[in-house]
Structures are given as structure tokens and as C-alpha cells.
């Protein structure tokens, strides 16, 4: 039996077999070889493996998202047979006598650059595909394994770190818990674990080489520890605790169908946060009154190209229809910082959290923004939609947004495409927005306070940096005063204010939030019933 401690992201307990997700993020190094034939054989084996992997991915995607969307994996299979690409790899190996990994990575970079420089938009988009297949080949050459979610039983995923794009691609039904060596409690991967009700421990000092697939592990989010190979006695005890937790959750079920109202009669809109269309199931299961934050950027992650207007329209429409007439607040693209997609070509920045991200991208690259706005306005016909803009710092930005929205409306009118104009609100997640919330309240329909970023920017603490987790204090007086001020400013102009950051689910602050006059709290689906219970206990 081996025990390790870490930081808990979601308080739950699970036990199951381990699947170790090994990745090699270190850059490919150039190495000299003596036998080119041996190296070519390695390339051929990696190619065969890649074709098999892509075949499986295609079959899975056809079932889940239809033939049209699955076609990308066929394109990848075709690229793997491209003669120029394969010749380039072989030439580099034979003429420079270098290792296969280096030759593949070089061919990938060169071809991606050629595609990116082409006139045709379709060909330009293939640059990301070439990079993707080259990465796949390099991973196969290095022996890095991909998890085949189709064939595993529900498991405990152990990894060095997980990016949001990796997490969204996982089959959630197959994950019992996450354990990672790195990561911060405020990262989006941590937020996803909370959405899914999955116990997760991060910052666990493990040597992945010593942990083997199939080993049984207990992930205990309450005690903040993971136990590998538990003894019979521990397993029995853990099983009893798992049952106890299930019972507690069962008892919470009587909160379903109840109003979210204090004993004194103050009603709070209690909504849930989601990252993907499939999360709507968790919202309904936990009886949230609506969706207070749909992080739409997750639609853009884990893929090779921008989602089309039609794809987005279908996703938004499905969420709106499923939620019937309940409020659905969709936040426009908040890409950047830890949420990266290669095809955006954002480039490396020294301070990505302070960089080219979210609304800044939308205000510079109107085509990306307009595609999303068109999809949103069209979908608005199907339910009770509100749009929310992230990372606002000034009145001018909101005015620029409204100009673009007007253009989109005109385009839809010209083409006689039906749409309705949703409410438009902003996130208050920068100190600048909080300080000028009196001005902003006059031009928007609502405020939703993003305490995750508001804490990061107010306390000058990178929320991704695990070393700073102990300094990241959303209870800081500066944050609480800003929340109070923002709420008062919203009310002064007849607008509502809510919290959609993780702090909204902090049961120690629920009473204070109610006292401050907040109108809405939007929390992880797994927290909805707990917050409702707390509110109903208040005088
Ligand atoms: C926030 O910053 O509080 C927020 C809700 O947005 P995100 O966590 O996606 O940055
Ligand atoms: Mg934010």
C-alpha cells in the first residue's frame, strides 16, 4: 500500500483501477543514428499504429457526432499516405542520419508552414492537421500511449498534468477520479472535475514510472490523499464511505423541486455552470434554475479547426431547447491563457493571462466573433438566451461589441434569417470593470462576477501557478468589497448582479452574498443542491 497527499479539487471519494496517461511534452531532440533502415522501420511501425488509432477514432466519432464531423479523421489518414510528406521524412533520415522523431517533427513543421502560407483557406486549415498527425507519429515513436476510452472500464486517471482540451475530449462516463502531479486548484481542468462531480487530487508528487495500469487506487478528496494498492481492510472501509457519500447525496435529493429562498422570503436565482452541451444533463439532474455560465470556448477546444456557424448554432439550440424556457447565459469565446487551440495561432506570450485573449481576440478578429454572434442570435429563437461578454475593462469595449452586434443583426435581416435579440451582459472579472461598474451598469443588462479571474487580477496571483495556491485568497477583503460595490452599482441602475466564479459555491459566504443583495449565484452543477439547502436555512 502506497499513500501520497495532494490538493483536493472536489471533495468526493472513489476507488478503481488506474490508467496512467503518459505524455512526452519535452521537445523532440536531434540524435545521430548509424542504421537508417532500422529508423525507417520504426517510422513504418508508427505509421501503422497511427492508421489503426485514426480508424478507431473515426468509428467512435461517426457514432457520437455523425459522419460529416468524423470526416476529419479520414483526412488525417489520407495525410499519413501523402507521398511528399513521407519522402521528406525518409530523406531527412537517410541524408542527415538522424533519428525518426526528429525527421517526423521537422517534416511536420515544414509542411505545416507550407500549408499555412497557401492562398486557399481550406489548405491553410490543413496546417494544424499536419502538425497533429506529426505529433501522433512522434508520440507513437516515443511509446506514449493514448487512452482508448472505448475499451476501458471506469478508471482513475493518473497523469502528469491535464489541459482543458485533453479533459474535454475524455469520455466522462469512464472517469472515476483524476490524480495529477501538476496543476492548480483554480485551473479549468479543476473546474471541469467539479462540474462532473469527480473526485480530483492535484499536486501529487508521484513518479509516473512507478505507477502501473490496472493497480487499484483510492482517491480521497476529503483526506486529500491517494492510496495505491489498498489493503483489504482499507478497501472495506472505503467502500463503506463511498456508500455513506451516496446516501448523503440521496438525502440532498429532497432539495429538488424546492424554491431557492431564505426563511425571510428572499429569492435567489440559483443557476449552474457548464462547459459543453453534454453537461446540460448534470444541470437538469441537479435541478438548477437555469444556466448562468456556458463556457462556449470549450466548443473550440480539442479540435483542428474553428467550429462552423452551423455547428455552433446546433449546439446552442440544443442547450436552449433542453432547458425549455429556463434562462441560458452563454459567454462568448474566452480562449487564451490556459485554454489553447493551435489553429488560433495565438503565438507564445510571456504573460498569457494578461495577453491576447477572450474579448480582445473578438474585437480584433471580427470574423471569428461574428460567426459566433450569428449562431447565438439565430439560436435565441429557441429559448431564453442571454449573451455575456468576458474580460471587459472599459465602456469603449462594450460600445465596440454593440457595433459588431448591430452589423450581425443587419446581415441576418438582409438575408431574412429569423433571430431574436437576447439580453446582453458582461462579466466583471477585472478590477477595472469593478471600479467603473457604475458606468457599465448604464449600458448593459446584467453583471456576472467572475471571481476566479477577479481574484487573479486583483491580488496579482497567476491562478495557474500551483506554487501560489496558498496566496490565492478569494475571501480577501478587496474582493468582497468589490462584489458589494458591483452589486450596488447594478441595482442603482435597475440591473441584476450575480456571481459565476467558483466563489459563488462557497457555503461559508452564502449568507454574506445574500446580505450583499446578489440576485443570482451560478455554481458547478454538483453544488446546486448544497447551495440551495444553505440558502433555505438562512433567516
Ligand atoms: C471567472 O473568471 O471567475 C470565470 C467564471 O471565468 P473562467 O473561470 O472561465 O475564467
Ligand atoms: Mg474568467
Amino acid at each position: 500500500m502506497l499513500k501520497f497527499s495532494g490538493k483536493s479539487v472536489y471533495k468526493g471519494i472513489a476507488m478503481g483501477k488506474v490508467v496512467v496517461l503518459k505524455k512526452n511534452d519535452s521537445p523532440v531532440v536531434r540524435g545521430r543514428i548509424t542504421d537508417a533502415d532500422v529508423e525507417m522501420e520504426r517510422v513504418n511501425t508508427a505509421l501503422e499504429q497511427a492508421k489503426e488509432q485514426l480508424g478507431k477514432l473515426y468509428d467512435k466519432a461517426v457514432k457520437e457526432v455523425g459522419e460529416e464531423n468524423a470526416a476529419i479523421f479520414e483526412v488525417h489518414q489520407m495525410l499519413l499516405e501523402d507521398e511528399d510528406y513521407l519522402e521528406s521524412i525518409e530523406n531527412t533520415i537517410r541524408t542527415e542520419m538522424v533519428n525518426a522523431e526528429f525527421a517526423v517533427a521537422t517534416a511536420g513543421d515544414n509542411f505545416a508552414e507550407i500549408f499555412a502560407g497557401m492562398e486557399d483557406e481550406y489548405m491553410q486549415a490543413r496546417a494544424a492537421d499536419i502538425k497533429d498527425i506529426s505529433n501522433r507519429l512522434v508520440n507513437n515513436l516515443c511509446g506514449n500511449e493514448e487512452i482508448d476510452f472505448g475499451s476501458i472500464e471506469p478508471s482513475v486517471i493518473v497523469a502528469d498534468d491535464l489541459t482543458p482540451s485533453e479533459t474535454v475530449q475524455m469520455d466522462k462516463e469512464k472517469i472515476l477520479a483524476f490524480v495529477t502531479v501538476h496543476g492548480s486548484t483554480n485551473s479549468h481542468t479543476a473546474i471541469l472535475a467539479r462540474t462532473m462531480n469527480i473526485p480530483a487530487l492535484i499536486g501529487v508528487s508521484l513518479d509516473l514510472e512507478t505507477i502501473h495500469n490496472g493497480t487499484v487506487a483510492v482517491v480521497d478528496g476529503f483526506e486529500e490523499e491517494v492510496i495505491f494498492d489498498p489493503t483489504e481492510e482499507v478497501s472495506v472501509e472505503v467502500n463503506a464511505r463511498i456508500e455513506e457519500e451516496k446516501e448523503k447525496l440521496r438525502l440532498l435529493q429532497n432539495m429538488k423541486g424546492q424554491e431557492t429562498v431564505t426563511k425571510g422570503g428572499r429569492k435567489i436565482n440559483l443557476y449552474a455552470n457548464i462547459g459543453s452541451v453534454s453537461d446540460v444533463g448534470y444541470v437538469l439532474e441537479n435541478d438548477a434554475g437555469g444556466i448562468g455560465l456556458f463556457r462556449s470556448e470549450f466548443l473550440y477546444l480539442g479540435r483542428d479547426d474553428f467550429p462552423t456557424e452551423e455547428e455552433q448554432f446546433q449546439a446552442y439550440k440544443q442547450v436552449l431547447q433542453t432547458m425549455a424556457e429556463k434562462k441560458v447565459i452563454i459567454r462568448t469565446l474566452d480562449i487564451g491563457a490556459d485554454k489553447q487551440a493551435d489553429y488560433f495561432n495565438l503565438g507564445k506570450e510571456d504573460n498569457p493571462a494578461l495577453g491576447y485573449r477572450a474579448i480582445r481576440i473578438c474585437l480584433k478578429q471580427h470574423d471569428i466573433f461574428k460567426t459566433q454572434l450569428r449562431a447565438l442570435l439565430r439560436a435565441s429563437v429557441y429559448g431564453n438566451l442571454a449573451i455575456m461578454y468576458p474580460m471587459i475593462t472599459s465602456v469603449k469595449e462594450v460600445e465596440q461589441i454593440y457595433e459588431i452586434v448591430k452589423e450581425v443583426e443587419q446581415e441576418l435581416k438582409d438575408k431574412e434569417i429569423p433571430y431574436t435579440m437576447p439580453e446582453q451582459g458582461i462579466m466583471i472579472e477585472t478590477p477595472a470593470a469593478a471600479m467603473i461598474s457604475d458606468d457599465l451598469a448604464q449600458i448593459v443588462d446584467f453583471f456576472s462576477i467572475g471571481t476566479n479571474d477577479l481574484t487573479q487580477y486583483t491580488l496579482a496571483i497567476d491562478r495557474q501557478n500551483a506554487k501560489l495556491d496558498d496566496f490565492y485568497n478569494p475571501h480577501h477583503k478587496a474582493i468582497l468589497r468589490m462584489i458589494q460595490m458591483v452589486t450596488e452599482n447594478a441595482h442603482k441602475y435597475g440591473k441584476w448582479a450575480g456571481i459565476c466564479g467558483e466563489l459563488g459555491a462557497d457555503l461559508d459566504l452564502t449568507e454574506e452574498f445574500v446580505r450583499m443583495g446578489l440576485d443570482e449565484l451560478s455554481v458547478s452543477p454538483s453544488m446546486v443542491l448544497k447551495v440551495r439547502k444553505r440558502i433555505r436555512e438562512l433567516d
Side-chain angles (χ1 to χ4, degrees), residues 35-189:
D35 190 339
D37 288 336
V38 170
E39 225 45 29
M40 277 310 297
E41 236 170 76
R42 290 184 63 222
V43 172
N44 288 331
T45 311
L47 277 169
E48 288 314 311
Q49 248 179 305
K51 282 178 197 163
E52 202 185 313
Q53 291 160 348
L54 288 166
K56 279 191 189 157
L57 277 174
Y58 176 79
D59 293 341
K60 180 168 182 273
V62 169
K63 274 190 222 130
E64 289 175 5
V65 288
E67 228 167 89
E68 205 178 312
N69 293 320
I72 187 66
F73 297 115
E74 280 187 318
V75 173
H76 281 200
Q77 277 175 316
M78 272 156 49
L79 286 172
L80 278 180
E81 286 168 8
D82 185 278
E83 277 180 20
D84 293 333
Y85 174 67
L86 296 177
E87 256 173 38
S88 158
I89 295 172
E90 183 160 5
N91 267 343
T92 310
I93 290 177
R94 294 197 187 281
T95 57
E96 297 182 34
M97 293 303 278
V98 288
N99 53 327
E101 291 86 343
F102 181 77
V104 169
T106 309
D109 287 346
N110 292 344
F111 277 74
E113 209 170 297
I114 295 170
F115 277 109
M118 288 183 179
E119 290 274 299
D120 185 295
E121 259 182 44
Y122 176 82
M123 296 312 277
Q124 281 174 5
R126 300 288 72 79
D129 296 322
I130 278 281
K131 272 202 184 152
D132 207 343
I133 60 157
S134 301
N135 285 342
R136 181 176 293 284
L137 286 178
V138 170
N139 277 332
N140 290 347
L141 283 163
C142 300
N144 295 338
E145 285 167 39
E146 250 187 15
I147 301 179
D148 175 5
F149 280 100
S151 66
I152 62 168
E153 56 184 282
S155 306
V156 173
I157 309 292
V158 179
D160 197 42
D161 200 359
L162 291 168
T163 64
S165 67
E166 284 164 337
T167 319
V168 285
Q169 286 179 79
M170 291 182 179
D171 185 344
K172 295 168 190 171
E173 299 300 315
K174 297 288 178 77
I175 307 171
L176 288 176
F178 288 123
V179 175
T180 65
V181 179
H182 299 289
S184 96
T185 41
N186 311 298
S187 68
H188 284 92
T189 301

Side-chain angles (χ1 to χ4, degrees), residues 150-285:
S151 66
I152 62 168
E153 56 184 282
S155 306
V156 173
I157 309 292
V158 179
D160 197 42
D161 200 359
L162 291 168
T163 64
S165 67
E166 284 164 337
T167 319
V168 285
Q169 286 179 79
M170 291 182 179
D171 185 344
K172 295 168 190 171
E173 299 300 315
K174 297 288 178 77
I175 307 171
L176 288 176
F178 288 123
V179 175
T180 65
V181 179
H182 299 289
S184 96
T185 41
N186 311 298
S187 68
H188 284 92
T189 301
I191 291 172
L192 284 173
R194 280 193 281 269
T195 302
M196 296 185 262
N197 247 342
I198 290 174
L201 273 192
I202 60 168
V204 183
S205 314
L206 281 176
D207 176 359
L208 290 192
E209 294 303 325
T210 63
I211 310 293
H212 303 292
N213 285 346
T215 308
V216 173
V218 174
V219 181
D220 186 341
F222 298 97
E223 297 298 325
E224 306 203 287
E225 64 184 17
V226 51
I227 303 169
F228 293 99
D229 272 330
T231 59
E232 183 59 30
E233 199 187 340
V234 171
S235 301
V236 170
E237 198 187 302
V238 167
N239 272 327
R241 285 187 47 213
I242 290 174
E243 286 310 311
E244 229 175 82
E245 282 310 307
K246 273 193 197 152
E247 178 59 14
K248 275 191 205 154
L249 280 180
R250 204 186 55 74
L251 286 176
L252 257 186
Q253 303 305 305
N254 64 18
M255 282 292 124
K256 284 188 183 171
Q258 308 266 13
E259 263 199 308
T260 308
V261 64
T262 64
K263 284 187 191 152
R266 266 264 345 262
K267 204 171 164 293
I268 304 287
N269 285 325
L270 182 57
Y271 296 161
N273 297 345
I274 62 166
S276 69
V277 177
S278 58
D279 291 343
V280 178
Y282 303 121
V283 177
L284 298 176
E285 211 176 288

Side-chain angles (χ1 to χ4, degrees), residues 186 188 191 273 293 295 297-298 331 334 338-339 357 427-429 449-454 463 472 500-502:
N186 311 298
H188 284 92
I191 291 172
N273 297 345
L293 167 64
R295 290 181 163 94
E297 59 277 8
F298 281 95
R331 172 175 78 185
D334 185 13
D338 63 327
K339 291 172 286 195
R357 57 172 293 195
M427 292 201 56
I428 301 284
E429 53 183 344
I449 305 173
T451 48
N452 309 337
D453 278 319
L454 189 60
R463 68 192 260 199
Y472 184 94
C500 63
E502 295 296 292

Side-chain angles (χ1 to χ4, degrees), residues 32 46 50 75 138 219-220 222 241 287 384 389 391 393 471 488 497:
R32 279 206 62 79
V75 173
V138 170
V219 181
D220 186 341
F222 298 97
R241 285 187 47 213
D287 191 37
N384 185 359
Y389 304 107
M391 286 291 294
T393 63
F471 294 93
E488 280 169 11

